[in-house]
Amino acid sequence: MTHAFHWLALLTRSNFEQVVFEQIAKKKIDAFLPKTKKLSRRKDRKKIIEVPLFPGYLFVKSSMDPGCQLTVLKTLGAVRFLGNDQGPIPVPETQIHSLQLLTAADCDLVTGVCSRLTQGDPVIVMEGPMAGARGEFIQYRGKGKIIIKIHLLGQYAGVEINENQVEKIPHHLS
């Protein structure tokens, strides 16, 4: 019997995201740890460092088979999969793909009024390094720039992008 594989959100111990990611990769299991760059201020210097986009979480591609999930959960620093009483809840492939495009685009990630777009409209990036990413329109920044966000884990990752690179997705297709 073949098991379908899904992306699952894995909660890790505090500051263990990279350790868990590396250990899971050694087990030949697909994992994704989205990161962003941030300015770290030290007493004597400032440095750009990479930090997890969602502190305490990473994504693992696993079947819904408890044996496969146990292999992941036995990893040092792994806590549990996000889910409910029925088990882990898969993260839609489109959200992971959008997040991979977002982090690979090396854009300035942000957390955080056009007649064509209304706040909350589903959008897709049509061109540029993030082409294919799906998200939600958040706000206008002026000078043709907008912010879109990608929902994940009750949080969001946002990016500033040119308005002309984004198209609204009709609600019946989103």
Side-chain angles (χ1 to χ4, degrees):
M1 182 171 150
T2 307
H3 293 283
F5 283 78
H6 303 277
W7 284 104
L8 304 174
L10 178 66
L11 177 65
T12 68
R13 287 177 47 192
S14 181
N15 298 316
F16 265 69
E17 303 90 349
Q18 187 66 39
V19 171
V20 174
F21 174 77
E22 289 169 3
Q23 293 301 313
I24 289 173
K26 284 181 184 174
K27 294 178 182 184
K28 306 265 189 270
I29 297 172
D30 284 340
F32 173 50
L33 176 58
K35 293 183 177 183
T36 187
K37 292 182 175 82
K38 112 174 187 183
L39 184 63
S40 172
R41 298 176 196 272
R42 309 285 178 180
K43 286 183 180 178
D44 58 338
R45 67 189 182 287
K46 294 178 185 175
K47 183 179 175 184
I48 301 292
I49 59 171
E50 277 195 330
V51 296
L53 190 56
F54 300 107
Y57 295 95
L58 61 101
F59 303 94
V60 178
K61 198 158 197 176
S62 174
S63 77
M64 299 308 274
D65 175 59
C68 290
Q69 294 172 14
L70 189 58
T71 300
V72 173
L73 293 173
K74 284 184 174 179
T75 305
L76 175 69
V79 176
R80 65 178 168 83
F81 287 108
L82 291 190
N84 55 27
D85 293 343
Q86 284 75 47
I89 297 174
V91 177
E93 186 88 31
T94 55
Q95 288 186 350
I96 296 294
H97 180 67
S98 293
L99 197 51
Q100 288 169 330
L101 289 169
L102 179 79
T103 55
D106 202 25
C107 299
D108 290 331
L109 298 177
V110 294
T111 53
V113 183
C114 170
S115 57
R116 166 173 103 83
L117 295 171
T118 307
Q119 185 173 7
D121 280 345
V123 296
I124 187 166
V125 180
M126 301 303 291
E127 59 185 68
M130 290 181 49
R134 291 172 174 255
E136 178 182 323
F137 170 73
I138 297 302
Q139 73 180 86
Y140 280 89
R141 297 286 283 205
K143 298 182 182 170
K145 298 282 188 182
I146 62 171
I147 293 198
I148 63 171
K149 73 177 178 180
I150 297 169
H151 292 275
L152 220 45
L153 306 176
Q155 302 178 47
Y156 70 86
V159 67
E160 187 174 276
I161 192 167
N162 288 324
E163 176 187 355
N164 62 1
Q165 292 181 308
V166 173
E167 290 296 328
K168 181 177 175 180
I169 302 171
H171 284 284
H172 68 280
L173 296 176
S174 60

